[in-house]
């Protein structure tokens, strides 16, 4: 029995789920704007410091990252090429008139996953529809290959680094359930004759080193690009791992992401970006981009000490079904809803710890039926909601943006009884949008 459990299939829906074409197109159209915005935030040290000042007093994880950021700035940033592989996630808000609106849930700037598996799902649903004799419908399933696009970004950064024998270092977790998702990107790179070495943070602290030019070497091999598929949760770091992260950040290798870009993806930054006039400051002279971005923002509220935070807490306690409480965490399963949220807010309301959270308007999509397939569980038809992610890639050399693209999508679907959590958290399953 144990042998059978070594490899198991990723959960998926039996059928593709309907998605309004206009919303899919809107999500694609705004992705390059989000790439520009994340890049602008990552370069704006004053904005990051001001925005995160209250958070880092109470959130040790964000504070650790911020300390590394400050240390790197003080020493002088060695890397000259910057690579962003991100995924912006949305839900479809049900409006009073029955229409739907695209609302951003979050942007993932580190270890944005499922680009590999999402490249494989169109064939599954085409096959299912063809078996059912629905060839016309099967042809409508969109082609999708994020792993190729993500690899293209890494390859561009590797090329600009300019050392033909240098490797891509993938920082992996010890027990990686999602390895096939990562292998898809590794294989795309290998097809371009770019070699990937997989190591853990612990390996970096034991065998990683910088030369006098701050070039990074791992097991004696020069590293051009460091691709993090670990390092986005507090549990990923021991003291030794924090030291390894600092070593990587101090190097001139291209980090994906560098620590400033990871900080740009925090919930607190997301909330500050929604403040009136903030996008105009960060993206001056780009009113169309600002309008496209702002159209996707849901209500976001600061919980910093003071009148504004007090008011947000009062409103959320009075109408708990309209809000979500979010800490500065990635990886799914961290948010609080309903009664749990109310209890947390009652506990936090007089404490400075509340500044390590934000409040967000709860998105209420229109549920639909689909059949969910999971390893070890019977197939079941459930009332579901979906979350759409768009993968973005950008590469900057110095101050020049040399690549800015959207490279594919991810649709994840879950039964409505699950408030929070993604595929890796065991809640959502992989899906495809069927454009209508």
């Amino acid at each position: 029995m144990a042998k059978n459990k070594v490899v198991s299939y990723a959960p998926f829906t039996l059928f593709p789920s309907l998605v309004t074409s206009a919303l899919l197109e809107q999500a694609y159209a705004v992705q390059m704007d989000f790439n520009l915005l994340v890049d602008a935030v990552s370069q704006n040290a004053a904005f990051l410091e001001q925005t995160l000042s209250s958070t880092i007093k109470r959130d040790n994880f964000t504070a650790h990252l911020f300390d590394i950021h400050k240390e790197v700035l003080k020493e002088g940033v060695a890397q000259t090429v910057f690579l962003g592989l991100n995924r912006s996630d949305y839900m479809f808000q049900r409006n009073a008139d029955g229409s739907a609106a695209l609302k951003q849930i979050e942007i993932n700037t580190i270890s944005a996953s499922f680009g590999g598996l999402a490249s494989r799902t169109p064939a599954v649903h085409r096959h299912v529809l063809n078996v059912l004799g629905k060839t016309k419908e099967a042809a409508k399933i969109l082609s999708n290959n994020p792993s190729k696009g993500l690899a293209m970004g890494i390859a561009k950064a590797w090329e600009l680094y300019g050392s033909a024998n240098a490797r891509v270092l993938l920082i992996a977790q010890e027990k990686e359930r999602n390895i096939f998702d990562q292998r898809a990107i590794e294989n795309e790179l290998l097809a371009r004759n770019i070699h990937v070495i997989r190591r853990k943070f612990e390996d970096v602290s034991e065998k990683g080193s910088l030369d006098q030019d701050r070039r990074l070497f791992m097991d004696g091999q020069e590293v051009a690009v460091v691709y993090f598929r670990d390092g986005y949760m507090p549990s990923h770091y021991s003291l030794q791992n924090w030291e390894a992260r600092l070593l990587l950040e101090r190097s001139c290798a291209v980090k994906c992401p560098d620590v400033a870009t990871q900080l740009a993806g925090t919930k607190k930054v997301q909330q500050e970006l929604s403040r009136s006039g903030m996008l105009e400051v960060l993206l001056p002279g780009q009113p169309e981009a600002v309008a496209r971005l702002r159209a996707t923002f849901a209500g976001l509220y600061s919980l910093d000490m003071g009148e504004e935070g007090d008011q947000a807490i009062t409103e959320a306690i009075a109408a708990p079904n309209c809000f979500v409480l979010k800490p500065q965490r990635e990886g799914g399963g961290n948010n609080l809803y309903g009664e749990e949220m109310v209890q947390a807010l009652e506990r936090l309301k007089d404490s400075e710890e509340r500044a390590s959270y934000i409040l967000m308007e709860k998105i209420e999509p229109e549920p639909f039926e689909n059949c969910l397939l999971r390893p070890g569980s019977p197939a079941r038809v459930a009332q579901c909601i979906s979350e759409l992610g768009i993968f973005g890639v950008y590469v900057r050399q110095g101050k020049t943006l040399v690549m800015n693209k959207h490279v594919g999508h991810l649709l994840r679907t879950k039964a409505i009884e699950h408030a929070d959590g993604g595929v890796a958290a065991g809640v959502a399953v992989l899906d495809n949008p069927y454009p209508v």
Side-chain angles (χ1 to χ4, degrees), residues 302 304-315 349 354:
S302 167
D304 288 358
M305 298 306 275
E307 202 178 321
E308 186 190 356
D310 290 346
Q311 191 185 341
I313 288 174
T314 305
E315 285 180 23
K349 65 180 181 186
R354 75 189 210 186

Side-chain angles (χ1 to χ4, degrees), residues 36-67:
L36 286 176
L37 181 59
V38 168
D39 190 42
V41 169
S42 75
Q43 294 176 77
N44 194 323
F47 172 79
L48 282 173
E49 179 139 21
Q50 193 180 350
T51 298
L52 296 170
S53 59
S54 57
T55 307
I56 58 180
K57 286 186 192 135
R58 287 288 163 222
D59 188 285
N60 284 337
F61 178 62
T62 311
H64 255 300
L65 291 169
F66 194 78
D67 286 344

Side-chain angles (χ1 to χ4, degrees), residues 32 48 56 103 186 217 225 231 271 307 309 352 376 384 404 426:
M32 274 122 86
L48 282 173
I56 58 180
K103 292 295 166 192
E186 288 179 49
F217 289 85
V225 178
Q271 174 257 307
E307 202 178 321
E352 287 193 351
C384 299
N404 183 12

